[in-house]
């Protein structure tokens, strides 16, 4: 008891169940303190009483036919050296259980067939479901609604991703355009200042031949326009007289430049037509014609 009091307090002794013996408490205290060699361990004797075991087996057996119990004993006959490796390997144990169950099922099916008992459901077999049709319809509607929600969510997320990607691509395109425009303006500035243009930006200062002109020559209409209006250059005050042109009268001709006096004889618009009678004469002429009638 002194060893017990050393390892346990008074309160601990009161909490111990009545079934625990003093010997069990001494062994537990020795294990905790590491003094098992001094106190000594409890020895357990294993008894294999075959007669009592068979008696107990007979008492629980009911003598039912095999079809009611379907118990099968399978002996795979595993060698001892292989069994030692299986004991320490969980994966091999699971595979052993799987093979044992597989052999047991094969033996049971063969035994059931020998008894004339079918083991497969026929194709025309009909059995009423545990769930009602209304319940299964609600379950189906619920599943369909969940599927639609998932599809809608996936579609929205995909559209958001595409929108973000489209904005990114648009920003890249705008940035590239701005960079190209800036590079072109810089090249134009350098060319205006007389610098040599870059290799990737060449300016052709020579006019290209017109593709609309046949044979490469200038047409008559263009020549006439050039003769009348000139071919470019300063146009303002181009026809204004100067002091020299004002004094130059060599091109003057009285026959061409003088205007004759307008009369019925020399007026081209009237030609050889006689002059129209006046209003009073026309009225008298009408009166004469009316009196004759």
């Amino acid at each position: 008891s002194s060893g017990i009091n050393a390892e346990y307090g008074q309160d601990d002794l009161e909490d111990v169940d009545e079934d625990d013996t003093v010997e069990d408490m001494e062994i537990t205290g020795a294990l905790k303190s590491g003094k098992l060699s001094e106190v000594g361990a409890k020895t357990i004797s294993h008894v294999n009483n075959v007669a009592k075991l068979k008696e107990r087996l007979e008492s629980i057996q009911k003598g039912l036919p095999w079809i009611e119990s379907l118990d099968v004993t399978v002996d795979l006959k595993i060698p001892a050296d292989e069994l030692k490796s299986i004991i320490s390997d969980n994966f091999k144990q699971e595979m052993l259980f799987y093979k044992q169950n597989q052999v047991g099922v094969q033996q049971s099916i063969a035994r059931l067939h020998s008894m004339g008992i079918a083991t497969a459901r026929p194709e025309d077999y009909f059995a009423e479901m545990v769930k009602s049709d209304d319940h299964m319809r609600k379950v189906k509607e619920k599943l369909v609604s969940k599927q639609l929600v998932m599809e809608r969510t996936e579609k929205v997320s995909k559209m958001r991703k595409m929108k973000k990607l489209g904005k990114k691509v648009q920003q890249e395109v705008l940035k590239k355009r701005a960079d190209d425009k800036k590079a072109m303006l810089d090249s134009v500035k350098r060319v205006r200042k007389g610098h040599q243009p870059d290799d990737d930006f060449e300016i052709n200062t020579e006019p290209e031949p017109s593709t609309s002109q046949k044979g490469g020559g200038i047409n008559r209409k263009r020549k006439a326009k050039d003769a009348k209006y000139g071919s470019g250059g300063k146009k303002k005050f181009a026809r204004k007289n100067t002091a020299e042109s004002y004094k130059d009268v060599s091109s003057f001709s009285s026959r061409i430049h003088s205007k004759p006096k307008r009369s019925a004889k020399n007026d081209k618009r009237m030609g050889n037509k006689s002059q129209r009678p006046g209003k009073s004469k026309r009225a008298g002429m009408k009166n004469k014609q009316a009196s004759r009638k």
Side-chain angles (χ1 to χ4, degrees):
S1 61
S2 61
I4 296 171
N5 292 331
E7 300 297 332
Y8 297 92
Q10 189 66 25
D11 297 333
D12 296 331
L13 293 174
E14 293 178 357
D15 297 333
V16 176
D17 296 336
E18 296 179 357
D19 296 335
D20 293 341
T21 61
V22 177
E23 187 178 3
D24 294 335
M25 293 169 63
E26 289 179 352
I27 294 173
T28 306
L31 291 173
K32 286 183 177 180
S33 61
K35 298 178 181 180
L36 184 61
S37 60
E38 297 179 5
V39 179
K42 181 180 179 181
T43 57
I44 301 173
S45 60
H46 298 278
V47 179
N48 185 14
N49 195 341
V50 180
K52 290 290 184 180
L53 290 174
K54 288 183 178 181
E55 183 181 354
R56 176 59 65 182
L57 180 62
E58 290 177 358
S59 64
I60 64 176
Q61 283 181 347
K62 296 182 179 180
L64 296 175
W66 178 81
I67 192 62
E68 298 293 337
S69 61
L70 297 177
D71 55 343
V72 179
T73 303
V74 178
D75 186 9
L76 296 179
K77 297 180 180 179
I78 302 172
D81 54 350
E82 186 178 352
L83 187 60
K84 290 180 181 179
S85 62
I86 292 175
I87 292 174
S88 59
D89 193 345
N90 293 331
F91 179 74
K92 291 182 179 180
Q93 290 178 11
E94 294 294 335
M95 290 301 299
L96 179 62
F97 298 153
Y98 172 77
K99 291 179 181 179
Q100 190 174 11
N101 292 330
Q102 188 178 18
V103 173
V105 169
Q106 292 175 357
Q107 293 179 1
S108 301
I109 290 176
R111 190 169 179 180
L112 288 171
H113 287 173
S114 63
M115 297 171 64
I117 299 174
T119 57
R121 186 178 67 181
E123 296 181 357
D124 57 349
Y125 180 78
F126 177 78
E128 186 177 358
M129 298 180 63
V130 178
K131 304 289 184 180
S132 61
D133 294 341
D134 294 336
H135 182 81
M136 295 305 297
R137 179 177 54 80
K138 292 179 181 179
V139 171
K140 184 177 179 180
E141 291 177 356
K142 187 70 175 179
L143 294 174
V144 171
S145 64
K146 285 185 178 180
Q147 183 70 20
L148 292 176
V149 170
M150 291 175 62
E151 290 178 357
R152 192 180 298 110
T153 305
E154 186 178 357
K155 186 177 180 180
V156 170
S157 63
K158 188 181 292 184
M159 289 177 65
R160 287 177 181 173
K161 290 181 181 178
M162 293 297 293
K163 190 174 182 180
K164 290 181 180 179
L165 182 61
K167 287 184 177 179
K168 186 177 179 181
V169 172
Q170 186 179 8
Q171 291 176 358
E172 292 178 355
V173 171
L174 293 176
K175 186 175 181 299
K176 185 178 179 182
R177 288 180 182 175
D179 295 341
D180 294 343
K181 184 177 180 181
K182 184 178 179 182
M184 183 183 69
L185 292 176
D186 293 342
S187 300
V188 170
K189 288 180 181 179
R190 287 195 295 271
V191 171
R192 285 179 178 176
K193 291 180 180 179
H195 297 291
Q196 187 69 19
D198 298 335
D199 295 338
D200 56 347
F201 187 82
E202 296 181 358
I203 298 177
N204 188 10
T205 57
E206 297 181 359
E208 296 181 358
S210 177
T211 56
S212 61
Q213 299 174 2
K214 295 182 179 179
I218 302 176
N219 54 16
R220 290 177 297 174
K221 187 176 181 180
R222 181 72 266 169
K223 288 181 179 180
K225 292 284 186 182
D226 292 344
K228 185 176 182 180
Y229 301 105
S231 56
K234 185 178 178 181
K235 295 180 175 62
K236 191 174 182 180
F237 305 118
R239 300 174 67 86
K240 187 177 179 180
N241 284 334
T242 60
E244 290 77 10
S245 64
Y246 177 74
K247 296 177 181 180
D248 186 12
V249 293
S250 59
S251 60
F252 176 77
S253 176
S254 59
R255 185 178 59 83
I256 298 173
H257 296 95
S258 60
K259 293 183 179 180
K261 191 174 181 180
R262 185 174 179 181
S263 62
K265 187 180 291 185
N266 55 16
D267 196 348
K268 294 181 180 180
R269 292 179 298 178
M270 297 186 66
N272 297 325
K273 292 182 181 180
S274 60
Q275 190 176 3
R276 184 183 180 187
K279 186 175 181 180
S280 58
K281 288 185 179 181
R282 291 197 305 272
M285 292 172 67
K286 286 183 180 180
N287 293 332
K288 287 181 181 181
Q289 291 177 2
S291 62
R292 290 176 182 176
K293 291 180 179 179

